[in-house]
Amino acid sequence: MLSWMAWTWPTALLFVGIFSAIGLMIALEVRRPGGDLRKGVLGLETTRGDRLFITLLGTSYIFLAWLGLIGMPLWTPLGLSIGWGIFCFWKV
């Protein structure tokens, strides 16, 4: 039934992580509506959802650039992506 995609443990964990982050955003929105609007270092007014989107977009660019320029292993871009996510939710 799910043979159309090569489901591996890393692929499944990626999707579980993304859907968990979206679920957490929904729970935070129900608890504190309004999206926690604030102005960051980029001069943009962003909500939690905006910061999640910027984090996911930046993470994909980090991994694609790493794969294109350096290749395997992917532990370093994982660390860079975690740092990028912390930066986005802290300062953006």
Side-chain angles (χ1 to χ4, degrees):
M1 184 167 71
L2 295 175
S3 62
W4 60 271
M5 184 171 174
W7 284 100
T8 62
W9 281 110
T11 304
L13 289 175
L14 174 74
F15 280 96
V16 166
I18 291 172
F19 289 127
S20 297
I22 292 171
L24 178 65
M25 290 294 152
I26 291 170
L28 288 172
E29 188 64 28
V30 168
R31 185 172 178 192
R32 289 180 41 200
D36 193 24
L37 190 66
R38 68 176 179 209
K39 193 170 191 174
V41 294
L42 298 176
L44 303 170
E45 288 188 359
T46 59
T47 63
R48 285 185 296 261
D50 296 333
R51 292 188 290 273
L52 177 64
F53 179 73
I54 292 168
T55 299
L56 292 174
L57 195 62
T59 297
S60 65
Y61 286 137
I62 289 169
F63 273 96
L64 287 174
W66 188 273
L67 282 171
L69 298 173
I70 296 168
M72 300 293 275
L74 297 176
W75 293 108
T76 303
L78 177 64
L80 291 172
S81 296
I82 291 170
W84 171 249
I86 292 169
F87 172 77
C88 283
F89 275 90
W90 183 40
K91 290 288 186 181
V92 173

